[in-house]
Amino acid sequence: MGSHRRGGSVATAAQPTVPGAEEADSRDPELPSRPKPSARDRYFDTLRAVALVRVVTYHTFEWAWCGMVFPSMGIMFGLAGTLMAKSLERPPLKVVRSRLRRLLPPFWFWGFFVVLAMLVHGWMPHWNIVFWIVPFGDPPGNQWGVQAWEILWYLRTYLWFVLLSPLLLRVFRLAPLPVLFLSLAPILVLNFVWSGPEGRLGNEMWDFSTYLFCWILGFAHRDGVLQKMKPALVAVLSLAALGYGGWYAFAHQGEVGTYDLDEIPLAQAFWSAGYVMLLMWAKAYFRIDFGWLTRFRRLDRVVTVFNARAVTIYLWHEIALILAVPLIDRFWNVPAFEKYLPLESQWFMFGIGWVLIAGFVLACGWVEDVAGKKKPKLLP
């Protein structure tokens, strides 16, 4: 569990429409012109875009406090749970097939290059290469490629949530609030009672349990359960979860050498639970939709691209950061670059990384269009 660097996640499903969105009345010429409301929920879109930026930031600088400022993974699983509950208004089998179709082709395309590079560098796969076809478990690899493939824990966890969602949603609707709060029980059991088996199954159990509450919280948002909760109750529960998660992280940092939530699953689970509950409840209670974002065309465009290419950005960002290092090394051979550019700065590497990510979005993002049965485009 501790061998994985947790940074961010990505929901790949189509976005929900804004509840109750009303279009401007165009029948009266006296009315002032107003931006047309987006067909997408820009609040969720913005959270997803910020989460991706935070993932790249964390994997560049490895600041331990990043997870506390913005717990990307918990937020992404919460958003994905909401979208999954919405999608399950259709037949479950079709929904699961649709999710697999959207997720696997970009993974296969990316995996082809990673596996090929590892083979060139002396890796010899065995039967477990099957996890590079369907990542029900952590795909195998060698130490040379670990920085590229270690992020796949998110896809594996997301895949299990998708497969189990029809059952989870049915159980949740039997007793929404009890099931929601009992969803924290598995991580407590793993942390205090039984640490689970070693290997792939153990990793899957820990990751699934860490983010189960956030996924179920997405169900609660979609079904209107959060909107009915009193503000005082939400504040008490959220602050209690944040307090416990924060306390546990700092109290146990001596065991792992850091208070980084990604290295302390129980702290991650409770901090994410409190944080995501506040975000989801505020969305439901105050009907936040960020419709104003459409007035800022460039910013709105960036958010759109980030959401349409979320899987591409997530999969390729580590490779971009890896390639940034030898590229910057070459810059030292150019006297002008050596003199005027901050080649030793991690901020410079951060910027080069985003340039390379943009290149991967242009070169590889079309696979997401194909997976979604859309016409391939350089940019959506």
Side-chain angles (χ1 to χ4, degrees):
M1 178 65 182
S3 63
H4 297 285
R5 283 194 301 160
R6 307 297 192 235
S9 95
V10 187
T12 59
Q15 313 307 310
T17 57
V18 179
E22 297 176 359
E23 296 187 5
D25 188 352
S26 59
R27 293 171 295 179
D28 189 345
E30 299 297 325
L31 288 176
S33 176
R34 294 183 294 175
K36 185 177 180 180
S38 172
R40 301 167 63 93
D41 190 323
R42 301 313 267 169
Y43 180 74
F44 283 170
D45 284 352
T46 302
L47 288 179
R48 186 175 293 104
V50 173
L52 287 169
V53 173
R54 208 282 283 163
V55 168
V56 179
T57 302
Y58 174 78
H59 285 161
T60 302
F61 301 98
E62 297 187 344
W63 291 326
W65 49 263
C66 278
M68 290 190 167
V69 172
F70 198 81
S72 292
M73 291 309 307
I75 290 169
M76 296 311 302
F77 280 117
L79 298 180
T82 295
L83 301 180
M84 193 66 186
K86 179 178 185 290
S87 296
L88 284 172
E89 295 170 2
R90 297 182 286 128
L93 183 59
K94 290 184 177 180
V95 173
V96 171
R97 288 175 58 187
S98 174
R99 289 295 187 276
L100 294 178
R101 190 189 70 241
R102 289 173 177 271
L103 178 67
L104 292 180
F107 165 66
W108 292 333
F109 183 81
W110 171 87
F112 171 80
F113 294 98
V114 175
V115 169
L116 181 62
M118 289 193 296
L119 290 173
V120 170
H121 286 81
W123 178 58
M124 182 56 63
H126 301 289
W127 66 267
N128 53 10
I129 196 174
V130 69
F131 293 116
W132 280 101
I133 300 174
V134 182
F136 289 122
D138 293 326
N142 61 5
Q143 194 62 31
W144 182 88
V146 65
Q147 188 175 343
W149 56 257
E150 66 180 353
I151 62 172
L152 292 179
W153 73 270
Y154 166 73
L155 270 70
R156 175 250 296 159
T157 306
Y158 175 82
L159 181 61
W160 278 111
F161 275 127
V162 167
L163 293 175
L164 294 176
S165 277
L167 175 61
L168 290 174
L169 184 59
R170 180 173 296 182
V171 172
F172 167 76
R173 286 174 173 167
L174 293 176
L177 286 179
V179 171
L180 174 63
F181 293 112
L182 282 174
S183 64
L184 285 169
I187 190 64
L188 290 169
V189 171
L190 288 174
N191 198 79
F192 294 113
V193 180
W194 176 60
S195 61
E198 297 291 333
R200 284 188 176 85
L201 180 59
N203 291 336
E204 291 163 11
M205 291 175 64
W206 275 95
D207 293 332
F208 187 90
S209 299
T210 299
Y211 297 104
L212 178 60
F213 180 92
C214 293
W215 190 272
I216 300 296
L217 192 66
F219 293 170
H221 172 267
R222 176 61 192 174
D223 283 8
V225 175
L226 291 181
Q227 189 174 0
K228 299 174 183 177
M229 295 177 67
K230 295 181 179 180
L233 178 61
V234 173
V236 169
L237 294 175
S238 297
L239 292 176
L242 288 168
Y244 181 68
W247 169 82
Y248 194 89
F250 284 100
H252 292 78
Q253 61 179 317
E255 299 174 8
V256 294
T258 180
Y259 61 88
D260 190 335
L261 297 178
D262 291 348
E263 301 298 332
I264 311 173
L266 183 67
Q268 176 75 273
F270 276 85
W271 185 270
S272 295
Y275 202 109
V276 179
M277 175 175 280
L278 285 175
L279 288 178
M280 289 286 191
W281 175 82
K283 160 68 178 171
Y285 191 81
F286 297 108
R287 300 182 182 274
I288 303 172
D289 62 13
F290 277 21
W292 53 265
L293 190 65
T294 58
R295 300 173 186 172
F296 303 92
R297 293 186 178 182
R298 291 184 180 179
L299 181 59
D300 188 61
R301 176 67 171 156
V302 170
V303 171
T304 297
V305 172
F306 266 71
N307 279 265
R309 295 292 183 259
V311 177
T312 300
I313 293 172
Y314 183 78
L315 286 174
W316 291 92
H317 82 273
E318 278 283 22
I319 294 179
L321 294 175
I322 293 170
L323 294 178
V325 175
L327 180 59
I328 293 174
D329 288 343
R330 295 297 183 106
F331 287 177
W332 287 98
N333 298 325
V334 181
F337 288 173
E338 182 181 3
K339 183 176 181 180
Y340 296 108
L341 294 179
L343 301 182
E344 295 181 344
S345 171
Q346 278 193 296
W347 283 102
F348 185 73
M349 187 179 77
F350 184 65
I352 294 297
W354 276 109
V355 171
L356 294 174
I357 289 171
F360 283 125
V361 166
L362 293 173
C364 311
W366 57 270
V367 180
E368 290 195 63
D369 292 329
V370 174
K373 295 185 176 181
K374 300 177 184 177
K375 183 179 179 180
K377 296 180 180 180
L378 285 178
L379 284 177

